[in-house]
Amino acid sequence: MKKKRGSKNSPKIEEILQSWDAVERAHQPDAFFYTKVQRQIIASEKYSVWQGVALFFSKPVIAFGFVVLLVMINISVAWKIGSDHSLTDAAKESEIEVPATDAGVSIHSFYDTNNY
Amino acid sequence: MIAEKELIEALRQKNPAAFKAIVEEWQHIVYNTILSIVQSREDAQELAQDVFVVVYQEGGNFKGESKFSTWLYRIAVNKSLEHLRRQKRKKRFVFVQSLLGNGNEVKQDPPEFVHPGTLLQNKEAAIILAKAVRQLPEKQRIAFTLHKLEGMSQNEIAAVLQISEESVSSLIYRAKNNLKQLLQLYFEK
């Protein structure tokens, strides 16, 4: 132990030994104590995959969030398929009508006139 | 308060409502006991949680041969002892590392511990006593703390530590003598 300054005025040894006598169990663990215990129990238990999944979805908020996520994914996939479809259509249309060059001569007519 | 028989049955069945009632009824006692032994609020909080996890998991094995409170105190004391031993090992490891020049410097003493239930006028004396108690051998430390802070009788301490009453009496006697010597040295320096 470190040296204490002014030890001449310090309380006597007997007084120190009695200083723990009047101690009360005044302090409480924090308000979330039971929740923390529950979490530890869940973490320490071994669940099967399906038990784990069931436990995961047993919370309404998580289940609702997951449904919302599924709907969002569904909408975005549908949107993507729709936009891909319209692009394909446009590509097909462009193949039917071959555009002319700036000079107004198509590539085919250029080759024809130059005897290639 | 839950009757012992109902309590044993509830623990065997792992009844969540009964378990919650047990935690709420005993949490402050378990927490304060551990706090007195380990002298750190954060560690006491974590160890108290561990105690109730053990109660939940091992509750089915509790046959009611001893009082529930004795069984609970035993788990709390064992958890505290494990923690103290872990801390000692850690200290030794850090010390060896510092000798080899690999680690940081040896950690200083833990911060001053003031039990939250200490009276204001006893605060200074209680801090000095806490420091001295930390230097006692672990069994003396446990016996003295349970006797002084928890107000347990020698009979109850004997049941918790699973030793005879004479051994408890001897432990407390030696703890007091050692504390007197430590405090004497403290004031002589």
Side-chain angles (χ1 to χ4, degrees):
Chain A
M1 269 189 288
K2 285 175 192 170
K3 187 180 174 181
K4 189 177 182 300
R5 282 181 192 173
S7 57
K8 280 179 188 174
N9 300 326
S10 304
K12 291 171 192 169
I13 290 170
E14 280 303 322
E15 277 177 32
I16 291 176
L17 285 173
Q18 284 165 13
S19 65
W20 275 12
D21 288 354
V23 168
E24 291 175 17
R25 290 182 180 125
H27 204 65
Q28 294 277 345
D30 73 27
F32 304 106
F33 187 81
Y34 179 68
T35 315
K36 286 176 181 171
V37 171
Q38 254 189 328
R39 253 187 243 156
Q40 276 202 29
I41 289 170
I42 291 169
S44 67
E45 286 194 341
K46 286 171 188 164
Y47 288 97
S48 70
V49 175
W50 289 114
Q51 275 177 317
V53 171
L55 193 77
F56 184 72
F57 288 111
S58 64
K59 302 267 177 199
V61 176
I62 292 173
F64 179 73
F66 192 73
V67 170
V68 169
L69 188 73
L70 276 181
V71 170
M72 297 281 280
I73 290 169
N74 211 1
I75 290 170
S76 65
V77 168
W79 183 270
K80 181 87 170 63
I81 290 170
S83 59
D84 282 352
H85 183 69
S86 59
L87 278 175
T88 321
D89 288 347
K92 277 179 186 169
E93 280 164 19
S94 68
E95 275 174 18
I96 294 164
E97 287 177 34
V98 180
T101 58
D102 286 346
V105 183
S106 75
I107 294 166
H108 296 289
S109 58
F110 173 79
Y111 278 91
D112 290 343
T113 49
N114 287 289
N115 294 321
Y116 283 102
Chain B
M1 185 140 175
I2 309 166
E4 291 266 312
K5 275 189 181 176
E6 286 174 32
L7 204 127
I8 295 168
E9 197 49 43
L11 283 174
R12 193 171 298 147
Q13 290 175 353
K14 297 198 172 183
N15 180 338
F19 180 68
K20 191 178 181 186
I22 291 169
V23 173
E24 280 168 1
E25 193 176 320
W26 291 93
Q27 61 182 14
H28 75 285
I29 295 172
V30 169
Y31 173 71
N32 279 278
T33 305
I34 297 174
L35 180 65
S36 312
I37 300 170
V38 302
Q39 300 187 3
S40 153
R41 289 181 191 209
E42 292 77 26
D43 294 343
Q45 173 90 18
E46 277 185 26
L47 291 168
Q49 286 167 22
D50 291 348
V51 168
F52 285 104
V53 173
V54 173
V55 169
Y56 183 82
Q57 289 171 338
E58 305 292 323
N61 300 331
F62 175 61
K63 302 279 187 290
E65 286 158 357
S66 62
K67 274 165 60 180
F68 176 72
S69 56
T70 306
W71 184 63
L72 199 59
Y73 271 120
R74 200 176 294 152
I75 300 170
V77 166
N78 285 337
K79 283 277 169 201
S80 308
L81 277 174
E82 277 172 27
H83 175 79
L84 293 179
R85 285 169 196 160
R86 246 194 329 266
Q87 267 191 331
K88 254 188 194 173
R89 275 201 298 273
K90 220 177 187 179
K91 252 188 180 177
R92 245 179 269 151
F93 179 73
V94 172
F95 178 70
V96 172
Q97 286 253 309
S98 72
L99 283 180
L100 296 170
N102 294 335
N104 299 324
E105 285 176 20
V106 182
K107 276 187 181 175
Q108 289 179 337
D109 282 344
E112 283 180 347
F113 172 72
V114 191
H115 195 287
T118 316
L119 294 172
L120 197 64
Q121 64 264 31
N122 288 342
K123 200 175 159 186
E124 197 190 349
I127 291 171
I128 298 167
L129 185 57
K131 268 188 180 178
V133 166
R134 252 184 255 157
Q135 296 179 47
L136 289 176
E138 60 183 36
K139 280 204 170 174
Q140 287 179 29
R141 178 174 175 171
I142 300 284
F144 182 81
T145 308
L146 291 178
H147 182 59
K148 278 279 179 184
L149 283 179
E150 297 302 308
M152 286 170 80
S153 67
Q154 294 189 0
N155 183 23
E156 286 170 317
I157 298 170
V160 171
L161 298 180
Q162 294 179 299
I163 53 175
S164 66
E165 260 186 77
E166 290 74 31
S167 305
V168 174
S169 173
S170 160
L171 280 173
I172 294 173
Y173 178 77
R174 277 186 282 151
K176 279 183 183 169
N177 274 348
N178 284 337
L179 283 172
K180 278 178 189 170
Q181 282 176 12
L182 285 164
L183 293 170
Q184 195 85 42
L185 283 172
Y186 177 70
F187 288 117
E188 275 174 12
K189 274 181 188 174

